[in-house]
Amino acid sequence: MAITSQDSTSLPLHETIVHNNKLARAIELVILSFLVSMLVYRVINFHDQNQRFPWLLALLWESCFTFIWILCICIKWNQISTKTYPDRLLNRVNEFEMPNVDIFVTTADPILEPSIITMNTVLSLLSTDYPADKLALYLSDDACSPLTFFSLVETTKFAKLWVPFCKKYNIQVRAPFRYFSSSSTVLEDGSLEFWREWKRMKNEYGNLYKKIEIAALRPFTCDPNSEFADFCDVHRSNHPAIIKARVSAVMTNAPLMLNVDCDMYANNPQVFLHAMCIVFGCKNDQDCGFVQFPQAFYDGLKDDPFGNQLANLYYLMNGIAAIQGIVYAGSNCFHRRKVIYGLSAVKTESVRNEDLDKVFGKSFELKESVARIFSGLSEKIDNRKSPSRLIEAAIQTAVCNYEYGTDWGKKVGWLYGSAAEDMLTGINIHGRGWKSVMCSPDQPAFLGCAPPTYPSTLTQQKRWASGLLEVLFSDSNPLLLSIKGSLWFRQALAYYWILLWGVRCIPELLYAFLPAYCIITGSRFLPKINERAFLIPAGIFITYNSYVFWECKRIGMSLRMWWNLQRMGRVTVMTSWLFGFLSVMLKLTGLSESVFEVTQKIYKSNDGDGDGDGDSNTNDKNINSFTYDKSPTIVAGVVVLLVNTSALIMTVFRLLKFEYSEIWLEMLTLGLGEMFCSVCVLLCFWEFFKGLFRKGKYGIPSSTIWKSGVIVLFFVHMCIRYV
């Protein structure tokens, strides 16, 4: 069913599609009834247990799981998606009426985030189907790298050839490293002229790649008279700021801003038009505080072995979009500048001139631009002063100490105080009453690079978990914003589901130890197999896994991918999220400070001419294999694996003491349900199990195994001593 966003006299620029979700709701309620039944069963039978400790733990952790499931039901109850119509926009809105857009591309490390990847993102954005005089691009380099600067200078030269070529022949893939790959369609136009220009573009891009590659291998000399003079005597952790949001305000001051991670290239040339369909199609600004495009990935490993491609969030994101709007994901997002400036959607506030100093700082040019944005008098770039004449004002606002004593980073701009600054910023936008829209064109708007290795996946997941917990323990707690602000209650529940990622490591980790504990101590936490109550946990296991598999099949996932997502969901919680949780606890107690860890990106080009690493990565038979380092996050996974393996081995030795005909009866006594749970944990950590016996980077380091072994021996010893 489609809900139009305009009256029936004209075709809408976008439609909200409401999906039928009745069957999913029914299954989710059945699962909830099983969970509640399990809790009731535990309470009723608590005093009948000989060993109440495991029963109590199971009751506590299953209560946590039930709470999380209730949050899921609330989030997924309604499902919507948004369909946009760029062709209608072009017929209805003249080019000069299109709003200006300031583009922000962010990078932090030219080693972990190769400059050639960033430059491809820049080229793809500059060549989109949008008036060139309406765009201004800012590159934020937190590493203050001369390599990034050099690459940008060379890229602007190539862009003068690449952008006209793309628009002349309506090239669909406008990131050169993807367009010139062997998997792309070469002949957009069969003419001889096109073929000649295509060859020229390929050669020019090859030259650009080689220049950047050579520059990355040699040190940059510090010559005060060269174009790299600004990079002399600076350190990556203490250097002049390259760009701030606020800098764009004194130079171009566009009413809309797009921020993109350095690896997220524009895959859909009409991405700006799709966003404008929503901007022009909404009845009022409040309904569209920002437009978020999904994060998708190119060249993802088959069946997602590391569980890092986010496909399993599809239904949850559609559900959140049906409440107050999709969450801000940190990239691929169009913001209204006035929203980023802290304007409320529900309170009409007039900002006095003397208050502008306290909020935005003392830059006259910046305060002037803020006043114009708040008054709705956005101006075109070509009608303003030349950006070069505003460099001095931009430098004044760019320095880090400019924001001291102001609201930058607290109430204005992208907010600080968390490694998940996107979530902190987004929840405050919703807390001021704004709604948001998720736009998902058939051709993905942006494509990025998923973490290529298991260690980089661990790093990313740890950063997410710690950053989300920092938001949870801040003044931007969803409950506070729901009570004091304008955050909808169901939207607050959606934020809680996300922010509690790190906390979930506690019940999941202890629940993973519980079956092993019961096997070692001879106790139990599940009903016996000959009891009727055994149908409750069996019903939960069968119904939940069948339901998740059905959901995955609906969006085209394979059986192997479903299994990978299931097992990696458990592994990630008990490894990365655990250490994310611990890092935040150390920060809250003042024992440590959180550090932003950049996720590694890998440049891959399949053009076969040496421009990139060829297709070796694609054809590597070990590409899906897990690699390991000495990270402590690996220790947690190995401990869980070895504890449950030890319990199963102890069970085997016990059974060997009995006659073959008596083994089945003895298995019932030992606890068949607990053994099944330990086997499930072992299967989830099967890649860790294989890593115990492998060598090199595919094997778990011996030091990690020894550390884990000591912890396991201590655990087993304490269990036996307890008995």
Side-chain angles (χ1 to χ4, degrees):
M1 180 177 67
I3 300 177
T4 59
S5 59
Q6 296 183 347
D7 57 51
S8 58
T9 59
S10 61
L11 293 174
L13 297 179
H14 74 271
E15 291 180 321
T16 300
I17 311 299
V18 180
H19 302 286
N20 188 335
N21 199 41
K22 293 180 180 179
L23 180 57
R25 290 176 189 169
I27 300 174
E28 289 163 3
L29 291 176
V30 169
I31 296 172
L32 178 61
S33 67
F34 275 128
L35 289 169
V36 173
S37 299
M38 194 69 197
L39 297 180
V40 172
Y41 169 76
R42 292 207 180 278
V43 172
I44 294 175
N45 292 273
F46 182 76
H47 294 288
D48 297 334
Q49 305 306 310
N50 294 327
Q51 295 187 32
R52 296 175 181 174
F53 179 66
W55 206 262
L56 176 62
L57 287 181
L59 174 62
L60 292 175
W61 307 143
E62 287 165 2
S63 298
C64 295
F65 302 147
T66 303
F67 173 70
I68 295 296
W69 187 247
I70 291 173
L71 292 182
C72 285
I73 293 176
C74 292
I75 295 170
K76 296 166 64 178
W77 193 256
N78 297 312
Q79 296 277 308
I80 68 167
S81 59
T82 301
K83 184 173 180 58
T84 49
Y85 301 96
D87 293 340
R88 297 177 186 177
L89 176 76
L90 293 174
N91 292 332
R92 190 174 306 169
V93 180
N94 294 321
E95 185 174 292
F96 68 87
E97 295 179 292
M98 298 286 186
N100 297 334
V101 182
D102 287 342
I103 308 170
F104 299 91
V105 179
T106 55
T107 184
D109 191 312
I111 304 301
L112 294 177
E113 300 174 330
S115 294
I116 190 64
I117 291 181
T118 305
M119 296 308 116
N120 270 276
T121 297
V122 169
L123 288 166
S124 69
L125 290 166
L126 292 177
S127 57
T128 52
D129 294 338
Y130 201 74
D133 62 333
K134 300 283 186 176
L135 300 177
L137 189 143
Y138 298 83
L139 178 61
S140 171
D141 176 23
D142 283 345
C144 194
S145 168
L147 174 61
T148 304
F149 175 74
F150 169 81
S151 302
L152 186 61
V153 171
E154 295 299 321
T155 299
T156 54
K157 299 175 184 177
F158 176 68
K160 295 177 182 178
L161 303 174
W162 176 249
V163 174
F165 171 75
C166 290
K167 295 192 174 183
K168 178 179 179 180
Y169 294 105
N170 192 27
I171 304 300
Q172 291 302 299
V173 180
R174 300 190 180 182
F177 84 117
R178 299 294 295 169
Y179 178 68
F180 292 120
S181 69
S182 59
S183 59
S184 68
T185 301
V186 175
L187 297 178
E188 306 281 339
D189 182 310
S191 66
L192 182 61
E193 179 187 12
F194 167 79
W195 182 247
R196 289 172 179 169
E197 291 198 42
W198 184 90
K199 280 183 160 182
R200 181 191 176 200
M201 289 301 109
K202 183 175 172 62
N203 291 333
E204 291 291 343
Y205 176 70
N207 293 334
L208 173 66
Y209 172 82
K210 290 173 183 176
K211 287 180 182 178
I212 295 176
E213 185 180 40
I214 293 172
L217 298 176
R218 60 176 175 81
F220 283 85
T221 57
C222 185
D223 183 358
N225 298 320
S226 72
E227 58 184 349
F228 300 102
D230 291 337
F231 295 92
C232 294
D233 301 321
V234 297
H235 189 271
R236 60 177 297 157
S237 61
N238 182 19
H239 61 81
I242 300 297
I243 200 65
K244 295 284 185 181
R246 58 178 178 263
V247 169
S248 67
V250 302
M251 298 190 71
T252 47
N253 201 36
L256 295 177
M257 300 185 293
L258 166 65
N259 82 286
V260 180
D261 284 345
C262 66
D263 64 306
M264 283 282 176
Y265 74 88
N267 180 65
N268 187 327
Q270 292 191 320
V271 57
F272 285 82
L273 300 180
H274 284 286
M276 295 310 137
C277 285
I278 296 174
V279 171
F280 281 94
C282 286
K283 294 180 180 179
N284 55 67
D285 290 355
Q286 180 182 353
D287 293 334
C288 178
F290 61 84
V291 179
Q292 176 69 59
F293 289 86
Q295 293 194 13
F297 305 97
Y298 60 86
D299 286 349
L301 297 180
K302 184 179 179 182
D303 296 325
D304 196 5
F306 307 140
N308 59 16
Q309 296 175 25
L310 309 180
N312 54 325
L313 299 180
Y314 176 82
Y315 295 104
L316 285 159
M317 293 302 104
N318 282 351
I320 297 175
I323 310 175
Q324 197 175 350
I326 190 66
V327 298
Y328 171 38
S331 181
N332 314 345
C333 188
F334 286 81
H335 291 274
R336 293 188 188 272
R337 186 180 288 269
K338 64 182 179 182
V339 176
I340 290 293
Y341 281 175
L343 197 66
S344 172
V346 294
K347 298 178 182 178
T348 305
E349 300 174 349
S350 58
V351 182
R352 298 175 299 176
N353 290 332
E354 54 268 29
D355 292 334
L356 289 176
D357 283 356
K358 299 178 182 178
V359 178
F360 298 98
K362 297 183 179 181
S363 168
F364 172 79
E365 289 82 2
L366 178 57
K367 290 185 290 185
E368 181 186 29
S369 70
V370 170
R372 295 189 67 85
I373 285 294
F374 281 178
S375 64
L377 298 175
S378 59
E379 49 194 314
K380 298 178 182 178
I381 297 175
D382 55 358
N383 285 342
R384 299 207 56 194
K385 302 176 183 177
S386 170
S388 61
R389 296 177 58 186
L390 296 171
I391 292 295
E392 184 177 348
I395 293 175
Q396 177 191 356
T397 62
V399 294
C400 292
N401 59 12
Y402 177 84
E403 62 198 29
Y404 294 162
T406 71
D407 284 342
W408 285 105
K410 302 171 186 175
K411 298 180 180 178
V412 176
W414 279 268
L415 306 188
Y416 313 150
S418 168
E421 79 290 338
D422 50 356
M423 196 61 59
L424 187 61
T425 302
I427 193 173
N428 276 276
I429 290 174
H430 284 133
R432 296 196 303 270
W434 295 96
K435 298 179 184 178
S436 56
V437 180
M438 180 173 69
C439 184
S440 305
D442 293 335
Q443 180 180 346
F446 297 92
L447 290 179
C449 176
T453 63
Y454 185 53
S456 59
T457 299
L458 290 173
T459 298
Q460 183 188 65
Q461 292 286 347
K462 177 187 172 184
R463 185 181 74 240
W464 287 353
S466 60
L468 294 172
L469 273 179
E470 288 169 341
V471 178
L472 182 67
F473 292 116
S474 71
D475 293 337
S476 298
N477 184 286
L479 181 61
L480 295 178
L481 290 178
S482 183
I483 296 173
K484 298 180 180 180
S486 301
L487 185 68
W488 295 10
F489 178 70
R490 281 186 61 208
Q491 188 77 8
L493 296 181
Y495 273 112
Y496 271 122
W497 181 85
I498 299 172
L499 299 182
L500 287 171
W501 280 8
V503 178
R504 286 170 53 183
C505 68
I506 302 301
E508 292 225 21
L509 183 65
L510 295 179
Y511 208 76
F513 283 128
L514 198 53
Y517 170 85
C518 290
I519 292 172
I520 295 171
T521 61
S523 57
R524 65 189 183 93
F525 77 100
L526 291 172
K528 293 181 180 179
I529 194 171
N530 56 351
E531 297 178 9
R532 286 187 178 181
F534 188 81
L535 294 175
I536 300 176
I540 294 174
F541 180 84
I542 295 172
T543 308
Y544 173 78
N545 284 287
S546 300
Y547 170 63
V548 175
F549 177 67
W550 173 66
E551 279 196 323
C552 291
K553 288 297 290 182
R554 289 168 66 192
I555 55 177
M557 291 188 196
S558 65
L559 176 63
R560 174 60 64 88
M561 188 171 183
W562 163 80
W563 168 239
N564 287 340
L565 292 174
Q566 288 296 95
R567 66 183 177 87
M568 291 310 300
R570 309 284 67 75
V571 172
T572 299
V573 173
M574 291 181 261
T575 52
S576 298
W577 292 7
L578 171 64
F579 279 84
F581 173 80
L582 294 177
S583 68
V584 173
M585 294 302 104
L586 291 175
K587 177 183 177 181
L588 293 176
T589 55
L591 298 177
S592 175
E593 287 293 329
S594 59
V595 178
F596 187 91
E597 299 176 271
V598 179
T599 305
Q600 180 188 19
K601 280 87 174 179
I602 292 181
Y603 173 75
K604 292 193 292 185
S605 175
N606 301 327
D607 53 18
D609 289 338
D611 300 336
D613 56 6
D615 56 1
S616 59
N617 281 339
T618 303
N619 296 329
D620 187 353
K621 64 180 180 180
N622 294 321
I623 191 67
N624 286 359
S625 298
F626 280 59
T627 57
Y628 303 93
D629 55 21
K630 296 184 179 180
S631 169
T633 54
I634 303 293
V635 175
V638 177
V639 169
V640 173
L641 169 66
L642 292 181
V643 163
N644 284 275
T645 303
S646 300
L648 291 172
I649 292 174
M650 292 174 67
T651 300
V652 172
F653 278 112
R654 287 178 186 174
L655 293 175
L656 290 176
K657 298 177 182 179
F658 297 90
E659 295 291 336
Y660 180 78
S661 59
E662 299 175 347
I663 288 179
W664 177 251
L665 293 176
E666 185 61 25
M667 287 181 66
L668 295 179
T669 304
L670 292 176
L672 194 59
E674 284 76 9
M675 285 188 285
F676 178 78
C677 289
S678 278
V679 170
C680 287
V681 174
L682 175 60
L683 291 175
C684 287
F685 284 88
W686 189 248
E687 291 295 336
F688 279 64
F689 184 80
K690 292 191 291 186
L692 296 175
F693 306 100
R694 289 177 171 173
K695 303 296 182 181
K697 66 179 181 179
Y698 300 109
I700 297 175
S702 57
S703 59
T704 299
I705 297 175
W706 281 109
K707 293 173 187 176
S708 305
V710 171
I711 298 173
V712 172
L713 288 175
F714 177 76
F715 175 83
V716 173
H717 171 73
M718 293 303 295
C719 290
I720 296 174
R721 185 177 179 182
Y722 173 77
V723 176

